[in-house]
Amino acid sequence: MSEDKVLKINKIGDGIVIDHISPGVSLDVLEVLKITGKEGMTVSLLMNVQSGKVGTKDIIKIEKKKLAKKDLDKISLVSPNATINVISNYEIREKFTVEIPQIVTGVIRCSNQNCVTNSKEPVQTLFQKEKSGDGEVFRCHYCDRTMSLPEVRKSIIR
Ligand SMILES: [Zn+2]
């Protein structure tokens, strides 16, 4: 099935389509967006649909939904190649690929239990993205602890 046909199956009037989600990861995306289905929004989920000649992907369509910067940051950590389509009046108004930001604030918890961000102090977490080998690590601004992307994924504030 072509990408066009997939997008046309049930077009949404206003909302967002999160496309090119890593296959099998769409439920994690919904979780970090705190979408449980009880909000009453129409949500369509496609898992492991064909993408291109070899790959597969997940797609989520959410009606009447807007994404905040923190939502986009969370999506980028869960599925770095996801693309966001902003739909209004049945047209794609905006389309972009998420990007893991250089500075990640207020989105992940530090894995160091003694970090000030895990105390009762009202301190928002702040991590700096750094290159490490062929991957990326995230360094806590407050305690210097570094976390790998898989660790970060488990520490997203839900
Ligand atoms: Zn820390």
Side-chain angles (χ1 to χ4, degrees):
M1 207 182 322
S2 79
E3 202 166 291
D4 250 22
K5 278 181 189 157
V6 172
L7 283 172
K8 277 173 189 162
I9 284 176
N10 43 1
K11 268 196 161 186
I12 62 174
D14 295 283
I16 52 157
V17 177
I18 311 172
D19 196 6
H20 299 105
I21 300 169
S22 313
V25 171
S26 52
L27 291 175
D28 298 315
V29 173
L30 285 181
E31 196 197 347
V32 297
L33 294 179
K34 292 186 190 156
I35 293 171
T36 64
K38 295 191 172 72
E39 300 80 9
M41 296 176 290
T42 303
V43 179
S44 313
L45 193 82
L46 291 159
M47 294 180 91
N48 302 312
V49 295
Q50 203 180 331
S51 173
K53 286 208 170 73
V54 281
T56 55
K57 64 178 179 180
D58 286 6
I59 305 171
I60 302 171
K61 305 176 195 188
I62 313 169
E63 290 215 49
K64 311 230 166 24
K65 173 78 179 166
K66 288 195 170 72
L67 295 174
K69 166 83 167 69
K70 277 185 185 175
D71 296 328
L72 295 172
D73 290 352
K74 288 177 181 179
I75 296 169
S76 74
L77 293 167
V78 173
S79 181
N81 297 316
T83 55
I84 310 292
N85 298 269
V86 181
I87 316 284
S88 113
N89 206 9
Y90 295 95
E91 302 282 340
I92 297 174
R93 302 292 173 186
E94 214 184 325
K95 182 174 185 162
F96 56 92
T97 303
V98 294
E99 199 179 341
I100 298 176
Q102 201 56 47
I103 306 276
V104 184
T105 49
V107 168
I108 45 184
R109 271 195 192 93
C110 185
S111 62
N112 174 7
Q113 290 311 311
N114 297 319
C115 180
V116 66
T117 59
N118 285 320
S119 72
K120 288 196 171 111
E121 300 296 320
V123 184
Q124 183 165 256
T125 62
L126 196 160
F127 289 81
Q128 176 103 33
K129 184 174 74 177
E130 292 176 7
K131 286 245 175 296
S132 162
D134 51 3
E136 281 155 342
V137 293
F138 298 81
R139 183 179 298 278
C140 177
H141 171 74
Y142 296 98
C143 74
D144 233 28
R145 169 78 59 101
T146 56
M147 293 165 72
S148 66
L149 190 52
E151 282 178 295
V152 160
R153 283 182 181 140
K154 288 186 203 133
S155 306
I156 294 173
I157 296 167
R158 283 152 161 100

